[in-house]
Amino acid sequence: MRIGFIGLGNMGGPMAANLLKAGFDLSVFDLSHTAVQAAVAQGAKAVSSPAELARADVEVIITMLPAAAHVKQVFLGDDGLLANVQPGVLLIDSSTIDPHSARDVSAAAKAHGNPMLDAPVSGGTGGAAAGTLTFMVGGEAADFERARPVLAAMGKNIVHCGGAGNGQVAKVANNLLLGISMIGVAEAMSLGVKLGMDAEVLAGIINTSSGRCWSSEVNNPLTGAPAARGYSGGFGTDLMLKDLGLASEAARQARQPVLLGALAQQLFQTFSNQGNGQLDFSAIVKLYQEG
Ligand code: NAD
């Protein structure tokens, strides 16, 4: 199958590499020449714009871009995909964007005669490299089945979440909970340590008790892997802040209160403004520590 791929960053680069390893014929575009060269070295063909990619003889086009503004530009711009692509080509956007924008772009694609799926991922750069991402997919069931073998080359769990935009809904809901739970664990761990407990012992108790969650067990803010390496790498505070912003905007549009989400967003914003945007989001525990 011939595939086009736009957005070869921290996630898209390794995802494209896995498509090449699986034997797909891949044409790629990115604004970064270095990113394109890395993909070409692994066997991809370079094209010079989204328009050229759209006019290439591809059956599927995947995008992995930073945010909704980039997705709208690449899909809806004068020199973008929809203005140039043949009807019938399957479009898959794996960027994390708000559900409303995903539904708008999907409707525009449908009007042009192109099936479209929103397919955001979880699993981070490690999952992208290992080909073990979870894909949360919104769109028509038949289009999901058409995409499945392509997504299976990049991910392990591939879940159809419902109609257009529902992949982004699942992603936003999960990361809203993740941001809140991380702050809850940071608060509880800080209190326990301040009251005299050893962090490892306390983490062990929580992780065999009812407070257990991913934030306490896998990414504990005091005893987890990012903490042990000075909170470098991992899932950056600014990426969590982006996802909480998406949740809060989606909630505003749906008139759905997200009280703890709003507080979590403000805490991560404060922490980022203190110069910590690149640290793993579990470093939010520093807000609870003195000095
Ligand atoms: P990134 O910034 O590393 O990569 C984005 C790439 O898109 C860059 O190479 C950039 O040059 C390219 N790009 C930007 N605008 C473009 C345009 N108009 N045309 C062509 N290329 C363009 O970002 P990333 O970490 O790979 O994340 C991509 C998406 O995946 C984001 O929506 C992010 O929220 C989501 N995501 C990231 C992670 C993670 O751990 N990094 C995890 C899950 C989801």
Side-chain angles (χ1 to χ4, degrees):
M1 193 187 282
R2 294 175 305 281
I3 299 176
F5 203 108
I6 301 180
L8 303 163
N10 293 327
M11 296 294 289
M15 289 164 71
N18 281 328
L19 289 173
L20 287 165
K21 272 187 219 150
F24 291 106
D25 179 293
L26 203 64
S27 298
V28 297
F29 174 68
D30 193 293
L31 296 177
S32 157
H33 183 65
T34 314
V36 170
Q37 284 316 304
V40 167
Q42 296 169 71
K45 285 177 223 139
V47 296
S48 60
S49 67
E52 192 186 332
L53 187 83
R55 289 193 296 264
D57 186 20
V58 292
E59 296 151 82
V60 176
I61 297 177
I62 302 169
T63 48
M64 191 53 166
L65 297 161
H70 310 86
V71 172
K72 286 183 178 165
Q73 186 196 353
V74 165
F75 278 84
L76 310 177
D78 291 342
D79 203 26
L81 290 176
L82 290 187
N84 294 281
V85 73
Q86 287 295 316
V89 172
L90 176 60
L91 307 173
I92 304 173
D93 179 38
S94 281
S95 324
T96 300
I97 67 172
D98 66 280
H100 289 91
S101 294
R103 286 172 180 154
D104 287 349
V105 177
S106 170
K110 194 171 179 184
H112 188 270
N114 291 96
M116 178 152 185
L117 300 169
D118 49 292
V121 300
S122 74
T125 51
T132 55
L133 293 170
T134 292
F135 281 91
M136 295 157 264
V137 187
E140 303 280 338
D143 302 327
F144 172 74
E145 290 307 329
R146 200 174 146 197
R148 194 197 284 274
V150 178
L151 301 182
M154 302 178 283
K156 199 170 56 159
N157 302 313
I158 297 146
V159 184
H160 187 214
C161 301
N166 277 16
Q168 300 293 355
V169 172
K171 170 83 183 170
V172 146
N174 179 71
N175 281 24
L176 171 68
L177 177 56
L178 177 62
I180 293 168
S181 75
M182 181 54 77
I183 293 170
V185 174
E187 188 165 304
M189 288 292 300
S190 298
L191 176 65
V193 168
K194 191 73 186 272
L195 292 175
M197 270 205 78
D198 175 79
E200 292 284 354
V201 176
L202 180 56
I205 296 288
I206 289 174
N207 291 331
T208 50
S209 304
S210 46
R212 174 184 169 197
C213 61
W214 187 89
S215 297
S216 69
E217 193 170 30
V218 180
N219 215 63
N220 190 293
L222 291 184
T223 63
R229 54 172 189 258
Y231 302 101
S232 62
F235 186 57
T237 292
D238 280 347
L239 284 177
M240 173 48 78
L241 192 51
K242 173 198 165 188
D243 289 357
L244 288 171
L246 294 179
S248 119
E249 174 56 18
R252 187 191 67 75
Q253 292 196 32
R255 296 184 57 81
Q256 168 66 41
V258 283
L259 309 178
L260 294 180
L263 181 55
Q265 185 185 8
Q266 296 305 313
L267 289 167
F268 280 111
Q269 182 72 70
T270 301
F271 189 55
S272 176
N273 289 358
Q274 292 172 351
N276 301 309
Q278 301 307 310
L279 295 183
D280 181 80
F281 77 123
S282 63
I284 192 80
V285 73
K286 289 172 185 276
L287 281 185
Y288 290 91
Q289 296 168 335
E290 294 169 38

